[in-house]
Amino acid sequence: MRAREYAPNFVMIISALLVMSCLLPGMIPLTREAETPLPTMEKNADTVIDVLKGQDWQPLQGLAQEQYTEDDFAGPGTLTYTVNITDDKPTYFNYGWCAVDEDTLRQNFEHIRVKLYVNDNELGNDVVHNLTFTSPDNLLCLDFGVLILEWPAGEYKLEAVSTFNEQINDGLADYDAGDYIFVYNVTVGK
């Protein structure tokens, strides 16, 4: 007797499953959209230095439409840039930090972690090169940079994320703990 009570429900469930199995193949995409390939990045640090010593490259931030003030950079948060690339010049994507002297710079980097990303892929030490230099205003700087040699046409999201795990001082000013994030929305149309 009980089997007859459940039979109509069972038939309805099986019918619904059959209808769904016929509809689902058209509703669920079986292929993913093609992703923009990653740009070609220089792996040899000596080559990066040689290129940066010359004039035939461009800083990514220098290509941005937006211009921010020192106050904008002074605290944690996100700054977003829009960049259009239309030529074949190498592009330097970086995050740098400067301090009044070597000891202060070393002490600062005990509390700073830097990560660079392209399209949500964290870039490794094979393409991220640490360079030190003295700025025009005589500060000692450490730069984490990637030299991008070739961009396939498309859209890219580049991010530089610098995490300060406590307040630091570069010898000139205090900087609060937190994430300092720089997002570059890059369109390449060559």
Side-chain angles (χ1 to χ4, degrees):
M1 278 302 217
R2 286 197 173 149
R4 286 187 188 168
E5 291 175 20
Y6 296 112
N9 289 339
F10 180 73
V11 170
M12 283 181 49
I13 291 171
I14 294 298
S15 298
L17 288 173
L18 285 171
V19 168
M20 285 179 20
S21 69
C22 293
L23 294 176
L24 283 177
M27 294 170 54
I28 300 174
L30 298 177
T31 58
R32 293 177 32 194
E33 278 186 39
E35 293 182 17
T36 303
L38 291 178
T40 303
M41 296 169 253
E42 181 58 59
K43 293 184 177 185
N44 184 315
D46 292 330
T47 302
V48 172
I49 292 169
D50 288 343
V51 170
L52 295 180
K53 285 180 181 177
Q55 300 293 318
D56 195 31
W57 62 279
Q58 51 201 3
L60 185 63
Q61 188 173 349
L63 299 173
Q65 296 172 11
E66 297 79 7
Q67 300 296 315
Y68 294 104
T69 67
E70 282 190 33
D71 288 341
D72 296 324
F73 292 97
T78 301
L79 298 178
T80 302
Y81 298 92
T82 306
V83 176
N84 292 304
I85 295 179
T86 58
D87 61 26
D88 291 326
K89 272 190 171 182
T91 306
Y92 190 59
F93 164 49
N94 69 307
Y95 174 84
W97 182 257
C98 300
V100 294
D101 57 37
E102 187 175 345
D103 289 338
T104 305
L105 187 64
R106 186 177 302 116
Q107 181 184 22
N108 286 173
F109 271 98
E110 290 174 7
H111 304 287
I112 298 174
R113 297 293 168 258
V114 175
K115 294 182 179 181
L116 301 180
Y117 300 87
V118 174
N119 295 344
D120 297 321
N121 296 299
E122 183 178 350
L123 301 178
N125 291 334
D126 59 329
V127 294
V128 178
H129 304 285
N130 300 339
L131 307 173
T132 57
F133 64 94
T134 302
S135 71
D137 49 353
N138 211 31
L139 296 174
L140 186 61
C141 304
L142 177 58
D143 202 54
F144 293 78
V146 176
L147 184 64
I148 299 173
L149 302 172
E150 185 178 323
W151 299 85
E155 299 200 359
Y156 300 86
K157 179 182 173 187
L158 282 68
E159 289 182 87
V161 179
S162 180
T163 302
F164 295 12
N165 66 12
E166 67 177 44
Q167 184 183 59
I168 62 173
N169 185 298
D170 62 0
L172 300 171
D174 290 326
Y175 296 87
D176 290 334
D179 291 327
Y180 294 71
I181 303 169
F182 305 89
V183 177
Y184 298 87
N185 295 311
V186 178
T187 301
V188 178
K190 299 187 245 182

